[in-house]
Structure formats: C-alpha cells, structure tokens
Amino acid sequence: MTLLERYKATRKRTEDICEPLETEDYVVQPVADVSPPKWHIGHTTWFFETFILKDNYTGYQEFNPDYNYVFNSYYETVGARVIRTDRGNLSRPTVSSIYQYRKYVDEAMTKLMECGCSKEVEELITLGLNHEEQHQELLYTDIKYILGNNPLFPAYSKNQVSTVQNIPGADHLISINEGIYEIGFNESGFCFDNELGRHKVYLEPLKIAKGLVTNGEYIEFINAGGYKNFTLWHAEGLDWVRNNKVESPLYWHSIDGQWHYFTFQGLQAVDVHGILNHISFYEASAFASWKKMRLPTEFEWEAAADQITWGSRWEWTESAYLPYPGFKKAPGAIGEYNGKFMVNQKVLRGASDVTSPGHSRKTYRNFFHPHLRWQYTGIRLAQ
Amino acid sequence: MTLLERYKATRKRTEDICEPLETEDYVVQPVADVSPPKWHIGHTTWFFETFILKDNYTGYQEFNPDYNYVFNSYYETVGARVIRTDRGNLSRPTVSSIYQYRKYVDEAMTKLMECGCSKEVEELITLGLNHEEQHQELLYTDIKYILGNNPLFPAYSKNQVSTVQNIPGADHLISINEGIYEIGFNESGFCFDNELGRHKVYLEPLKIAKGLVTNGEYIEFINAGGYKNFTLWHAEGLDWVRNNKVESPLYWHSIDGQWHYFTFQGLQAVDVHGILNHISFYEASAFASWKKMRLPTEFEWEAAADQITWGSRWEWTESAYLPYPGFKKAPGAIGEYNGKFMVNQKVLRGASDVTSPGHSRKTYRNFFHPHLRWQYTGIRLAQ
Amino acid sequence: MTLLERYKATRKRTEDICEPLETEDYVVQPVADVSPPKWHIGHTTWFFETFILKDNYTGYQEFNPDYNYVFNSYYETVGARVIRTDRGNLSRPTVSSIYQYRKYVDEAMTKLMECGCSKEVEELITLGLNHEEQHQELLYTDIKYILGNNPLFPAYSKNQVSTVQNIPGADHLISINEGIYEIGFNESGFCFDNELGRHKVYLEPLKIAKGLVTNGEYIEFINAGGYKNFTLWHAEGLDWVRNNKVESPLYWHSIDGQWHYFTFQGLQAVDVHGILNHISFYEASAFASWKKMRLPTEFEWEAAADQITWGSRWEWTESAYLPYPGFKKAPGAIGEYNGKFMVNQKVLRGASDVTSPGHSRKTYRNFFHPHLRWQYTGIRLAQ
Amino acid sequence: MTLLERYKATRKRTEDICEPLETEDYVVQPVADVSPPKWHIGHTTWFFETFILKDNYTGYQEFNPDYNYVFNSYYETVGARVIRTDRGNLSRPTVSSIYQYRKYVDEAMTKLMECGCSKEVEELITLGLNHEEQHQELLYTDIKYILGNNPLFPAYSKNQVSTVQNIPGADHLISINEGIYEIGFNESGFCFDNELGRHKVYLEPLKIAKGLVTNGEYIEFINAGGYKNFTLWHAEGLDWVRNNKVESPLYWHSIDGQWHYFTFQGLQAVDVHGILNHISFYEASAFASWKKMRLPTEFEWEAAADQITWGSRWEWTESAYLPYPGFKKAPGAIGEYNGKFMVNQKVLRGASDVTSPGHSRKTYRNFFHPHLRWQYTGIRLAQ
C-alpha cells in the first residue's frame, strides 16, 4: 500500500466510525475526558494542516485561521486554544463545515503526496496517520460514553457485536524465567518516541496468566464485598470509590437484581463469560489483591507478550509511565507528543476491540490516569 | 383571537425564533444558566403534556415516558429529572425527535380545544402559553450566549436589528409624590401568582428617570475607574468583579482600544447612544452610586410606570423578590411555579426587546440572582 | 456612667467572656464564618487604634504595624488584610501578645478620654463600643461552635445556664391593625446607620405570635417528615438541606433515639419546653409553612414589638436586608460598616441570650445569609 | 544502647523539637498536608498505645477512648478518625493534656520494657521509634510552614543554623558502569517494608553529580525565564505553575529586587552558595531539562550512593513509588503502613538536615506527591 493509499484508507475509516451518528451526537462533551466527535474530526485534520501543509505545501491557503484556536489540543508551541472542558460548549463550526475542512485538507494532502514528498515529510504523514488511529479509538470510546450516559441508552449500531468471549484456559499461568530482557522497539517501521531507547531490564521469575479476567470473575469480587474491603485498595483508590460511590465497572446497572451493561447495541444483560471491560487501575489492582495476585509490570508484559493472548483490552500494568533510558524529545511542537505526560499516569499494554487494525504492537505503550475507565481496559493477573 | 388561535400563534412563534439555528446550536449549554434550545422546545411541550393532556385528554397516550425525566425543569411533584447542569450533555432526543414530539402534542392539544374544555383547563392552557412566552425570551437570551461565547462569533440573523437607540430626554427626572399606592395586579386577564395580593404601600417622595442609561454613559463609568472604586460596590459585588475579572458588560470586547459587543448580527462597534444592556445588579448598583443616585424599588417603579418609558430592558430594582402580603401558592405542581424562588433574588421590572409581544405589564415581576447578566438588563436611576 | 467608665466596663466584659477558655480555644477557625477568639480580641482593639487613636491622639505610636494586616476585618479603605478563611492559620501573634496590645491601646484610650475629646471623637468611641458589643455576641457564638464541633464536646462553663424556657401563652396571636406605621430609629442615644431614615410603611392587618417556637414543636415538624416534604421549602433551601444532609437544628445529635444538643455545659438532652435555637432561615420558613403560617416582615415585627415578648433569640424575618429610604453612608472607612452588605441577606430582629445587655432595641437590624445558623436564631410565627 | 534507652532518647527528642514553640503554634494547620504539632505529639503516642500497649500490657487502661478518634492518622483497620483537613479545627485536647497522655503512655511503655518483652513486641517498638523519627522530621517541616506562612515571619530559634553550604566540586559527574545491581535492604537492623524484596536491576551506563544544585544555580534558571519556558515542563507541572502562580521555590520572597527566604531564624537573604531547598518534582525536572540533563532513577541513585555526597536534602528521583518484586504487606493495621500509598507518588532518596540522626540509609525510600515542596527537597542531576 502506498502512503497515499494508506492516507485515504485511514481518513475514510475515521468517517466510517462516525457514520451511524446523528448530528447532535457530534457536539456534546459529557465529561472533560470525552471530546465531541466533531472535535476529533477537526483536530485530526488540523494536525495535517498545521504540521505538514503549512510548512511543506507551497502557497497553501489556511482553511480558516480561527480553526487553529478551536482544534489545537495541547500544543503550547502552536499557540492559544479552547480549554479542554469547553470543547462541548461550541456549536460552531458545524459538523458539515468541519467535513468541508476535512475535504479541503485531504485534497491538499493528496496533491502533496502525488507530487512526491521528502522522507522527513513522509515520516510526519505517517505520524499523522498513527495519530489519527489513536483518535479512531478515542472516537469509539467517546461515542460509547456519550450514548451510554444518555438516559435513553440509544444503540450506536445494531450490527456491531462488542462482547468478547474469553479464550479457553485464560487463567492458565505461564512461567517467565529470571534474567535480562531487551525492552523497547527494535524493528523497522513506525513506532512512537516513547517506545524508543531499547534497553535491558532484569526480571525476577514470574507467572503470568494466558488470558484476561471475565465479567463472571469480577461479579464474584463484587459479591464478596470487594468494593468495601479496604485492605485490598490503595488509599487513593479507596477515596475514589467512596467519593464516586463506585460499586461496579463503568456502564454497569443493576436492574431487578441482575447486572446489565451498556453496549453499542444498547443495554444488555452482562455476559459472565465475556472479558471484563471499563475498570480503573484502582479496581484492577484491588481485584488482583483479592485474588492474592498482582498486576504485571510493563516489562514483564513485554517479555511475555509472545506467549499470552492479547488484543481485546488494554491491560493496566503496575508500571508508571516514565521515559526509557535514552528517551529523546523531538524538537518543536512534535516533541510535545508524549514526553510531557510522563508523570502521574499508568502504562497500559496490549490493544482493544476498538483499536485500529495494525495500530498496536507488543512494544506499544498506552497511558492513562489510574482512575479512568472509559477506555476498553481489562485485567491480566501475575504473581 | 380564540384560545386555539392564540395557542397556534404562540407555538409557532417559538419555532420561528429557532428557525435561523443550525442543528448543533440546539444542543450546547455553555453555562448552567443557559439551556440548550432543544431543551426549551421539548420542555414547553412537556408542560402541556404533563399538566393538561395527561389529566384532561381521555385516552391520551404519552409520547415517550422517558421524556418526563429529560424535560422536567424543576417540578419536584412530578418526579426525578436530569440535573440542570447536564442538559447540554444529552445528544438525544435529537432535534427532529423533539419536533415530532411537539407536533404530536400540538395535535392532541388542538383536538382537546376543538372539543371545548372547562374554564379550569382553559386557565391552565393560558398559563402554559404565558410559560411558553417566558421561554421564548429565554431562547433569545440563551441563543445569544451560545453564539456570543463561540470564538467564531457567528451571527444569528443578519436582518434583525438589536441595538436600541435611547429616547430623547432619557435622563429627565420625574417626581412622584409621597403617599399610599396600590401595588399588584388588579385587572381582568392573565397574571402570574406572584403579582397577586394587591396591597397598599407607602412611598416617600422620589424622582425617577424617564429613560434608561446608555452605553456612552456606562463607558464614562468604566473610564472613571468604576470597576476599581470599591466604595461604589456591595462587598459581594466586589468579590464577583474580582473573582471573574469583570471589566465591562457581558459580550463587550476591547479591540484595538475601541469597545465592541456581540450582537445578533455578530461583533459590532458599541453604539454610545444605544441603551446599555447585559449588566448585573451589582454593576447597576455601583453605576447608580457613582452617579450619586440609586435604583428604584419595585414599588416606586410600579407607581411611576405610567409616566416613564419602558420596554427595552428589564430594569434591576433595589427590591428583593419576596411574596406580597396575601400571596398564595396554588396546590400541586403548579404551586411550584413562583413561590419557591422567593429568596436571594432581585426583582426586575419592565420588559425587553426580546420579550414576547403582550407578555409583560406594569405589575409583572421578573427575578434573577444579582450576578446574572445574560438577560437583557438595564439601569434606570432614581433618587 | 461616663464614657470612660462605659469604655472600661465594655472592654472588661469581652475579657470576661474569654476567661473560661484554654489558650488553644483562642486559635482555631473550624469554618469560615467563625473567627478565632484571639482575632476578635485583637480586631476590637485594632478598631480603636485605627479609627480613633491614629487620628486623634497626638504622637500615638502604633503598637505593631503588622497588626493592621492581621486584624483588619473588611475595610478596603484601610488596606490589605489576611483573608477571612486564613484567620485560623495564624499561630502568631500569641494570645498574650494580643492582650498586651489590648492593654497598650486601653491605656492610650484612657489618656485620650481623660484629656477630654471632641463630640465627634466621642461618637466614634461610642460606635467602637457598640462594635465591640457585636463582637461579644460573636465571641459567644464562635466559642460555642469551636467547642460544639469538637469530638470531646468540652463544656465552656458548668455554671452558665443556656436553655431558656418559653413563656406561657407563647403561641397566643396578637392582632395588629392595618395602617401606616413609622419605622426606624427616632430616639436620642446611639443607633447604627442602617436604622436611620425613619419612614412610613403601610401594613395590611396581621396576627403575630406573642412568643417563640419551642424545641418540642420543632421535634413534631421533624417527626412529621418536615425535612423531606419539598412543598414546604424554598428551592435553594431544599438544595441546602440535601447538600448538607440536614436533619435537625445545628448542634443536635440523636443518641439512642433521643435528641441531645450541645450547650455551654456540654451535651444535654433537648428540653422540649425550651425555645428553639440554631436554625437557618430556610428551616424557619419551612416550619412556618408546615404550620400554615409565615414569618413576619421586619416592619410588622417593629410595629408589634411593644406587644410581644422578645430578647432570647434573634428572629428571622421574611425581609431582605435593604437600605431604608434616605439611608446615607458615612464618608471614609466607617461608611463600609453596614451599607455594603445590603444584598443577599435576611433581616433578623430582636436580641438573644448572648446579646450584650442594652445592646439591642426594637429598631435594631441584624442580618445574616439565609443558610447560617450558628447564631442564636429562632422562629416567631405570623399570619 | 538498650531499647528502653533508645525509647527514652527518641521520645525526648520529639519534645525537644517542640521546646521553642508557643502553645498557639501547636494548634494550627495552614494547609492540609501540614499537621498541627500537637497532633504529631499525640499521634506518635497513640501509635504505641494502640499497637503495643493495648495488646501486650496486661490490664492496660486506655488514657481516653476518644483519643483514638482524634489521633488515628489513616489506619482503616483501627476505625473512624478525624478527617485530615479537620486536624487544625480542634482546640482540644489541649497541649498540656496531650503531654499528660504522652507521660502516661511513656510510663506504661517503660514498665513493659522493664519487664522484658518478646522479640515480636521489640520489633513493634522499633517500628514505633522509626515511625516517631519520621514524625520528628515532619515536625520540623510543619513548624517551618506554620511560621513561614505567618505574616510576622517569626523565628523558630535564633540559634539554629539551617543554611547548608554546598560541597566543593558538587557538579563533578561520577560514572556508573552498565550492568546488574542489587537493590533493596540487605543488612541486619531495622528497615521499612518498602525497602524489602532485594532484587536485581539492569542499569545502562550513566553519569551522576557528586553534589546537589545550589540556590545560585536555581536563580539562573529563574532569570532565564525557566518558569515560563513550557518546553521544560510536564503538562501537569505547567498547570501547577500557572494555577498557583509559582515563580520561585517555597518560602522565597523578592524584596526590593533581591531574593530572600524564610529560615528558622526568620527572613534572610538567599545564600547563593547554599543548597537549593523546597522545590517540587515538577521544578526539579524542569530545572534538569534546562540543564539538558535529567533526574536519576531511584535505582541509579542507590547504585551510586557510596560515591556521592548526600544527606542534606531529600532528592527527587524520576522513579514512581512502586512495590519491589516480592513486596509483602504485613497482616493487620501495620500492613497499612506503606503499601497502600504506592500509586501517584515519586520516590525521594537520601536524607535531610532535619532528618533524625541514624534514621535514613542508602536503601531508604521516601515518597511524596510531585507537587509538594514543604519538605527539605533538592536536586541531583544525572545524564
């Protein structure tokens, strides 16, 4: 696939994800972490306009200078921006204006690629496409939140199946030997800067589960009073449970004594054989304590990656999100991509049902604050 | 005009107000006090369904039982409801669903009226229409906030002229004699319950301005350092100014040293002869102090109403919003209409450019918290 | 009594109130509205130093220039100050330093008065003494809060009796005739500026209770589900009840199913014949609604004052705290005394068990925000 | 030294630290992280009473059952407690009551030790003494905050010298070889549970500074606009700087253009040769970026510990506070000591001027949230 073909396919996939939406669904931001779909549509376009077209397309005419203010996410280098919590307060630009913006930028990008571009620009385009794939996953998770917190519980699409059955033998424990392992990206092809700085780590011997924890296992934890047993929790986890009155994973509702959850098909009874989804790091860690096990570190996970089954949930690890030895920030705005978030967050490894195909790999490092759970997050046990 | 004709005209006017909107404009709630236009469209419909059709239309089939939860504003009697700050988080029901709801209820209401209804039901319908007129004004003010806080400053309609020139001799002072005055509604026709309990008040002699304060006069106050002169302000007003960094009326922007404001036609240079708009009670009171005058009480205003020019701004009075002697709450949910708000708010008298024709009268009592300014508020001086 | 004698007696009374305290009790500020006793001791002293000695005592040497920053309460004219919520964060000046400050200022004040002073200075001293009497009441109420919110419930003094039995016939209703009444101070002697501007008001006929509501009557309201019956409450009152989980007056605790309250002698069983204390305006108003009565306005109260029994509780009125017609602010810092608080507060009339003798009178206007209840507040019914 | 001798010496040292305080200084809590000194005095006593005397001293009579509620810090196992932010709202128990409590417990502990106690009890006593030493350091840092945030800037003691001159050659870089290092406690004697689970780590080659950064070097960072250069900061660090308007280390004040800081002797001019103190992790990391260096990890620090000069500041590391492989929580309340805090915090290594003698060691792991700076924190650079 040429870069242009890949560009077109990736850009189309974003629009396909939004296809089932009503115009109104594009606009709202029910919590700060969830961005309005129209913002994602505009922001991924702004990324190409700002970091590629402005510098590399001679005579490029900016679509609308105000859009820079509207669609900048967090790049201090690029100037002022709408504060994150205000994204859902903007009715304009309209969805159709943003699709026009998208089309305008796509045409310029197409011309740019048809004329041929330098290796450096190709790398930036590849970064932009990987960036867009990250937003494709965010689109799924944000759309789920928008619909799942609506009192009408509207389905996203009746056709999509989102419950994933667990693999047989998921709780089988695989042994990993003590010793030195190489960690970090070491192949050809694209990776993010946070995967670089391949380096050695020394691992103590461990056992790690082949598969992930199921809804049924988690219901046992709930029924055993797991949310009230303070010995299982981090102090800040317990505060989070109490302040937010958490009693189950996100999207779960007890209806006439039976657990239901919101899915892309609407409210459904919880499938006890399905893989657990939408829990915070605090819940993952408490569940592991209850099982008298623990979460793996990201290094243990990477060392075991070829022997375990992964890809349906992003898996919380015990590791904090920190730079690898030898991590280097790129100069300029692109250098703000990852490094400045390397504090107070936890690493997640793997991929999820709603990760774009080919986007993840075993060295991929995802990261979120420990209380968040609107992503497709799950639990793998180790000891 | 028959009640049915009036019903149809009033309902149509609401839809006419929304006609220039994009779908996205119907959805957002940039601050808690501003409701999404689609919520107004649904809530005014819910009012007729809940308080009239359910009790009086035999065999009436509720359009959608979930809508009761979505469109109840503050009626405890009627059950649980979406909390006010969450109205802008709901992408569903869609705008077109709500218009279907509206059409469905209008058809039932039409049939009900065509069959003839009791005097009591006619009174409830009249209340519903006056309620809808209140929301018509709120639609204008909320739309203005939604567009006026968007960084693109989109115009609502290029045709509508919203700047009002002041009358000649606006600062002429009219004398009102000392004595006993009758206050409260005393005519035939509709009034709200808070206007009832006509009673006598004793007024000391006063002078009151024939017209309202202009933008130009207010600019003098700004230029004289009015916002920084603490002797002019209430203590809570000063806190409000400092915490919110207030330096001018709402919607004003200083561009290259000249004052502009957002209007329904977009950003425009401030018209110094236009009537001042969008100030809080605190600002109104501080301005009056700076002029060595004061605001009138609501009783003084009503006593002077026939001799002054009013109708373009709701005018802050010194009076707190309190029940008249003999005020009676209606039984049931309708009794929640006014009485439960009679604390911590200020009375405004008059009407505004965006008040529905025929909606206000000289005994009408509007009320808002003293820091609010997204309504069409102005200043009349007294001494 | 000469002014000097009165000065000495008043200043001594403040110290007498603090006599039972431990040093630690002088320091803490458990909520923003409660000031540390040592702050009251210093602030009342600072008032004399700042407004009298500095201007009128030739060659006066300020005790410590930093104290101006520490002990200014809210006078913008006099400069910067410790923000109110930080008063309890200051361990210095120590209690003994503040008593030295007090002694230093008292000696200078004594010399000033012995030398004779102008009528204007005498008036300022009288204002300072009335100001100190206001702080004497606040000392009692703040000390009660400091001890009553301590988990050890320490007694202030075993000797002081604070429960007040109600008068016989407290619920007898007295009739007040319709007509014009004169309101405001009209005698010789001291009054606050907010009592001035004597003026006429027209009252409709009313009935007003001879005495106040008892604890026993209020327990009936609680038992009848008064706190949960939303029809009785203002909307903001209901929010206050729900957000703060209010189920009884301040300082009440249900122990083994029986109501107890904290008094200056420690925890005691509630006396059902005692006069109700420590309720907010919201509770007072809801209780009156439950009785199918209402609270009197401050004008009704003043008109009835000679025929009712008052003096044990400050009584919430329906009236908002607003300027009388003809209210005038004094020039300079003293003008900040009352006027700048005339918004968002309710008037209370009467006096309380802990009001300094001779401090109140029938034209006296006390004022607090409607949710506050650490003062000695009670309910008188009208209709 | 016998355990009893060590007990007496440690307990006395706590009281010696408080000796220069006024009674009022014992009471206040200016921010949530700072506890009132009297709380430390009581809590360290409660620790011995609760975890040792109640279980091991036959017939022990609790001093006051209410003290359990007052002096429990965070042990869920032991029951309800005063919430942390309320510690400064308690005037009782008084300082002298708490010293009586202290004496009472010390007498019982003395008797217990004189009678001889089991190895297990001796270990608990040793834990209690190490716990008390931690609170000794907190007493110093909390007292500094209490006095340093008082507008009078009172000295703690004129005799104590708190500025530490840097060593010569502090910026000399020491090389550490690549390879496997053993991390964690491996000696006889006491250590905390978080140091256990000695394990191997693989380190890449690095250079690490022999000494710490000075005030003078940090002033260069300030003068170079370091606080405004967003490229140097974590995103959350930048938010912290902006929201708190941070422009210098804690306790620094610019007076007439010259930097001063609060010390235990009062306000003094900043010593440019002194070792930098009171900076957050965010500031430490931004400073290192500005120097084109980085902070060491805790493993690098421990590997280099014998070759560097340490002991005057706790040094921020890049490492998050996580359990070592093989970390085990003790059963019961003591198990709450460390493990439940292992999320969202950063590890600090070393010791400080105000650390109790003999308390720290090269495997010691201190930990705080990244924004905190009232501890004696400093910067060591690595690359």
Side-chain angles (χ1 to χ4, degrees), chain C residues 165-178:
Chain C
Q165 296 284 322
N166 207 359
I167 56 163
D171 53 3
H172 174 69
L173 293 177
I174 290 161
S175 293
I176 304 294
N177 290 335
E178 182 173 12

Side-chain angles (χ1 to χ4, degrees), chain A residues 234 279-286 295 316-318 346 370 372, chain D residues 343:
Chain A
H234 290 96
I279 40 84
S280 69
F281 168 79
Y282 298 125
E283 290 165 296
S285 176
L295 304 178
W316 287 110
T317 72
E318 182 64 46
K346 284 290 187 184
L372 294 176
Chain D
V343 68

Side-chain angles (χ1 to χ4, degrees), chain D residues 44 54 83 145 178 201 213 233-234 260 264 292 345 377:
Chain D
T44 49
K54 282 189 186 169
I83 57 169
Y145 196 93
E178 183 173 11
V201 301
V213 167
W233 294 82
H234 288 97
H260 289 67
F264 275 142
K292 301 199 191 314
Q345 309 210 39
T377 52

Side-chain angles (χ1 to χ4, degrees), chain A residues 202-261:
Chain A
Y202 193 95
L203 296 185
E204 306 282 324
L206 80 142
K207 295 190 170 173
I208 187 167
K210 184 158 187 57
L212 300 178
V213 167
T214 62
N215 295 319
E217 291 173 279
Y218 200 80
I219 288 173
E220 289 172 34
F221 168 75
I222 297 174
N223 292 342
Y227 281 100
K228 297 201 168 125
N229 181 351
F230 58 80
T231 66
L232 305 173
W233 295 81
H234 290 96
E236 295 185 20
L238 203 57
D239 289 344
W240 172 81
V241 164
R242 289 174 178 169
N243 292 340
N244 298 284
K245 300 190 174 65
V246 179
E247 298 177 337
S248 65
L250 184 64
Y251 300 127
W252 285 38
H253 302 269
S254 179
I255 302 176
D256 299 333
Q258 207 198 331
W259 285 114
H260 288 68
Y261 48 21

Side-chain angles (χ1 to χ4, degrees), chain D residues 92-362:
Chain D
R92 312 288 178 97
T94 61
V95 173
S96 77
S97 302
I98 297 171
Y99 274 115
Q100 283 168 33
Y101 174 41
R102 199 165 171 89
K103 199 175 161 208
Y104 178 89
V105 164
D106 281 350
E107 285 169 1
M109 285 296 297
T110 300
K111 277 190 201 148
L112 182 74
M113 281 183 271
E114 285 172 350
C115 297
C117 34
S118 67
K119 176 121 189 84
E120 192 189 37
V121 170
E122 283 189 354
E123 279 174 7
L124 274 174
I125 294 172
T126 303
L127 175 62
L129 294 174
N130 277 275
H131 168 260
E132 180 131 358
E133 287 171 350
Q134 291 182 314
H135 281 276
Q136 287 169 357
E137 176 146 7
L138 288 171
L139 268 169
Y140 274 120
T141 56
D142 291 1
I143 290 168
K144 185 164 184 180
Y145 196 93
I146 288 165
L147 301 178
N149 280 273
N150 190 298
L152 307 181
F153 294 122
Y156 164 69
S157 160
K158 290 292 180 195
N159 301 322
Q160 187 171 335
V161 176
S162 66
T163 300
V164 182
Q165 295 284 324
N166 209 359
I167 56 164
D171 53 3
H172 174 70
L173 293 177
I174 291 161
S175 294
I176 304 294
N177 291 335
E178 183 173 11
I180 295 175
Y181 290 82
E182 301 253 345
I183 297 296
F185 190 76
N186 193 29
E187 297 173 41
S188 60
F190 175 84
C191 76
F192 283 108
D193 58 357
N194 63 6
E195 301 169 58
L196 290 174
R198 186 165 165 94
H199 62 288
K200 300 193 185 78
V201 301
Y202 193 94
L203 297 185
E204 307 281 323
L206 79 143
K207 295 190 171 174
I208 188 166
K210 184 158 186 58
L212 300 178
V213 167
T214 62
N215 295 319
E217 291 173 280
Y218 200 79
I219 289 173
E220 288 173 33
F221 169 75
I222 297 174
N223 291 344
Y227 281 100
K228 295 197 169 130
N229 182 353
F230 58 79
T231 67
L232 304 174
W233 294 82
H234 288 97
E236 296 185 20
L238 202 57
D239 289 345
W240 172 82
V241 164
R242 288 173 179 170
N243 292 339
N244 297 285
K245 301 190 174 64
V246 179
E247 297 177 337
S248 65
L250 185 62
Y251 300 127
W252 285 37
H253 301 269
S254 179
I255 302 175
D256 299 333
Q258 206 197 331
W259 284 113
H260 289 67
Y261 47 21
F262 177 76
T263 72
F264 275 142
Q265 295 81 50
L267 267 190
Q268 297 191 336
V270 165
D271 175 0
V272 295
H273 303 298
I275 300 182
L276 175 68
N277 200 354
H278 298 300
I279 41 83
S280 69
F281 169 79
Y282 298 125
E283 289 164 297
S285 177
F287 178 86
S289 289
W290 180 69
K291 283 283 195 185
K292 301 199 191 314
M293 297 185 77
R294 61 174 178 86
L295 303 179
T297 67
E298 63 167 324
F299 309 114
E300 292 171 341
W301 192 96
E302 191 169 324
D306 293 338
Q307 301 174 61
I308 57 179
T309 304
W310 59 271
S312 58
R313 300 285 178 266
W314 286 101
E315 307 174 23
W316 288 109
T317 73
E318 182 62 46
S319 299
Y321 182 47
L322 297 174
Y324 283 171
F327 170 72
K328 278 195 192 68
K329 275 206 284 198
I334 293 297
E336 297 187 49
Y337 204 93
N338 271 314
K340 73 180 183 183
F341 301 110
M342 289 179 174
V343 68
N344 294 331
Q345 309 210 39
K346 284 290 188 184
V347 173
L348 301 102
R349 291 298 194 104
S352 89
D353 299 339
V354 294
T355 306
S356 300
H359 179 72
S360 193
R361 57 203 150 262
K362 74 175 181 180

Side-chain angles (χ1 to χ4, degrees), chain C residues 156-210:
Chain C
Y156 164 69
S157 160
K158 289 292 178 196
N159 301 323
Q160 187 171 334
V161 176
S162 67
T163 300
V164 182
Q165 296 284 322
N166 207 359
I167 56 163
D171 53 3
H172 174 69
L173 293 177
I174 290 161
S175 293
I176 304 294
N177 290 335
E178 182 173 12
I180 297 175
Y181 290 82
E182 301 253 344
I183 297 296
F185 190 74
N186 193 28
E187 297 173 42
S188 61
F190 175 83
C191 76
F192 283 108
D193 58 357
N194 62 6
E195 301 168 58
L196 289 175
R198 185 164 166 95
H199 62 287
K200 300 194 185 78
V201 301
Y202 193 96
L203 297 185
E204 306 282 323
L206 81 141
K207 294 190 172 174
I208 188 166
K210 184 156 186 57

Side-chain angles (χ1 to χ4, degrees), chain B residues 8 16 76 93 116 118 130 164 174 186 201 253 284 300 314 383:
Chain B
K8 288 184 173 171
D16 289 346
E76 301 273 346
S118 67
N130 277 275
V164 183
I174 290 160
N186 193 29
V201 301
H253 302 269
E300 292 170 341
W314 288 100
Q383 69 179 190

Side-chain angles (χ1 to χ4, degrees), chain C residues 8-205:
Chain C
K8 288 183 173 172
T10 303
R11 297 285 284 172
K12 178 171 186 305
R13 188 168 184 275
T14 301
E15 298 176 15
D16 289 346
I17 293 168
C18 294
E19 195 279 327
L21 299 183
E22 300 282 356
T23 300
E24 292 86 342
D25 299 327
Y26 281 93
V27 179
V28 300
Q29 179 180 33
V31 290
D33 294 302
V34 166
S35 291
K38 80 183 175 105
W39 185 88
H40 288 294
I41 301 290
H43 167 70
T44 49
T45 301
W46 169 88
F47 191 96
F48 287 107
E49 183 181 59
T50 304
F51 296 120
I52 294 166
L53 292 175
K54 281 189 187 169
D55 291 343
N56 297 288
Y57 186 114
T58 317
Y60 178 74
Q61 196 75 26
E62 208 174 353
F63 181 76
N64 182 333
D66 289 335
Y67 281 24
N68 194 44
Y69 179 69
V70 172
F71 292 123
N72 184 357
S73 53
Y74 55 69
Y75 296 87
E76 301 273 345
T77 314
V78 183
R81 59 195 183 280
V82 170
I83 58 168
R84 185 169 185 166
T85 49
D86 270 351
R87 288 178 191 164
N89 294 335
L90 302 185
S91 60
R92 313 289 179 95
T94 61
V95 174
S96 77
S97 302
I98 297 171
Y99 274 115
Q100 283 168 35
Y101 175 41
R102 198 166 172 89
K103 199 176 161 207
Y104 178 88
V105 164
D106 282 349
E107 285 169 1
M109 284 295 296
T110 300
K111 275 190 204 150
L112 182 74
M113 282 183 269
E114 284 172 350
C115 298
C117 35
S118 68
K119 177 120 188 87
E120 194 189 34
V121 170
E122 282 189 354
E123 279 174 6
L124 274 175
I125 295 172
T126 302
L127 176 62
L129 294 175
N130 278 274
H131 169 260
E132 180 131 0
E133 286 171 350
Q134 292 182 312
H135 281 275
Q136 287 170 356
E137 176 146 6
L138 289 171
L139 268 168
Y140 275 120
T141 56
D142 290 2
I143 290 168
K144 186 165 183 179
Y145 197 93
I146 287 165
L147 301 178
N149 280 272
N150 191 297
L152 308 181
F153 293 121
Y156 164 69
S157 160
K158 289 292 178 196
N159 301 323
Q160 187 171 334
V161 176
S162 67
T163 300
V164 182
Q165 296 284 322
N166 207 359
I167 56 163
D171 53 3
H172 174 69
L173 293 177
I174 290 161
S175 293
I176 304 294
N177 290 335
E178 182 173 12
I180 297 175
Y181 290 82
E182 301 253 344
I183 297 296
F185 190 74
N186 193 28
E187 297 173 42
S188 61
F190 175 83
C191 76
F192 283 108
D193 58 357
N194 62 6
E195 301 168 58
L196 289 175
R198 185 164 166 95
H199 62 287
K200 300 194 185 78
V201 301
Y202 193 96
L203 297 185
E204 306 282 323

